[in-house]
Structures are given as C-alpha cells and as structure tokens.
Amino acid sequence: PHALAFVVNSQITIAVDAQIDISDGGAGAPTACAAGAVPGHNSNDGAGGGGGGGGGAAGGVGGDGDLDDGQPFVAGGAKGPAVALPAGLHGGCPGAKGGDGNSLGGAGGAGGGALYLVAASMIQLDSSAPINAAGGGGQGGLHDTGGDAGGGGGGAGGMIVLEAPHIAATAATIAANGGGGGEGSESGGA
C-alpha cells in the first residue's frame, strides 16, 4: 500500500478544524505483516483473543480464554513483534483474529496508515487534532451460535514523519496509538 506524502517548496499549514486522518487502515497501512500477530487458539469452551499488531513497538499478547471457568486456560495469540526502523514509510501491522469458539472470533483491527509531510520552510499546525494514524480496535467475539469466541487483537498505530526547518504547533494532537483488543464472548451472553 502507498503512504500519503506531501512535499512542498514553501509552507504547509493545517488550519483550525482541519485534520489528516489515516487511521484504521488508512493510506500506507499494510493488510498483513511478515511476522505478524498470531490468532487466538480455538476452543468451544472459551477461545483465546488475537494478538495485537506490532509497529514501532511490539503489540500485546491476546487474552486467554477461560474454558468455561475451568483450567487450564486456552492461550491467546502471540503479539506482533516491533517493526525494525523501515527504509521507507510503513503503517502499523494489523491485529490478529480472535479464536473461534461456538461462534466466530472477532476480526483483528487494521493498522494505522503512514504520512510524510515535507516543507521547505515551515509546517504550521493550527488545529487541536490535526493528524491521526491510530490503529483500529479489534472486534468482539460473536454471540450468534453460542459465544465462547475470542476478541480480535488491536491494530498497531502507524507512522507520522514531519520534516521542515521549523515546525510550529501550540495545541496540536499528533496521534499514532494502537487500537484496543476486542472483548471475548461468553456462552449464553449478549
């Protein structure tokens, strides 16, 4: 996928109430990563959650399933590893699918996109929330045929690069947070 890039020979201004949103599968977000997060383990008694996608840091391990309050627990999926500093723009990796129980596990969240802003003189951020490259949240496990499904792992936040001799921002929010994991479903739950 292609990242979003603006290269100008003067100034970039993101005005008040404007924003650039490449979150949750936006420009530059890969649909898969070579060493990505691992899906949760399947179990009709309580499946594990999917691992979180990796980006600038490793994702989180998927939550364990509860085997309908029994022991041992069904393991959640392994986390996605941190992505080594890429040679180019790289969005966050997606989270993994939750394990299937009596219902399907939740889908993993998409990774955040990648943005590159280059200005010869200045980047001016006037808005209070101008740039968002957050990863998407994982979906909850389904309840349609009995539940016990794991939630999907959250997608990793993307990459934001600002390059200029001067960058001015008084109240700007620049976010590339990872998404939260989805909730597992319980048998007989709503």
Side-chain angles (χ1 to χ4, degrees):
H2 298 289
L4 181 61
F6 294 97
V7 180
V8 300
N9 65 0
S10 58
Q11 178 174 326
I12 294 173
T13 300
I14 300 176
V16 174
D17 297 327
Q19 67 174 314
I20 298 173
D21 188 344
I22 54 170
S23 64
D24 197 8
T31 56
C33 290
V38 175
H41 291 93
N42 299 331
S43 172
N44 288 340
D45 292 321
V61 175
D64 293 334
D66 71 357
L67 278 182
D68 286 335
D69 298 323
Q71 293 287 335
F73 294 109
V74 176
K79 62 187 176 185
V83 176
L85 186 60
L89 291 174
H90 191 285
C93 294
K97 178 185 175 298
D100 293 338
N102 293 310
S103 297
L104 295 175
L115 174 69
Y116 187 42
L117 297 180
V118 181
S121 62
M122 178 180 218
I123 297 174
Q124 175 76 39
L125 306 174
D126 292 334
S127 175
S128 62
I131 302 174
N132 182 9
Q139 299 298 306
L142 300 179
H143 295 278
D144 58 355
T145 58
D148 281 332
M159 181 181 208
I160 300 169
V161 178
L162 306 177
E163 185 176 345
H166 303 284
I167 299 173
T170 55
T173 300
I174 300 172
N177 302 340
E183 179 179 30
S185 63
E186 180 60 59
S187 61

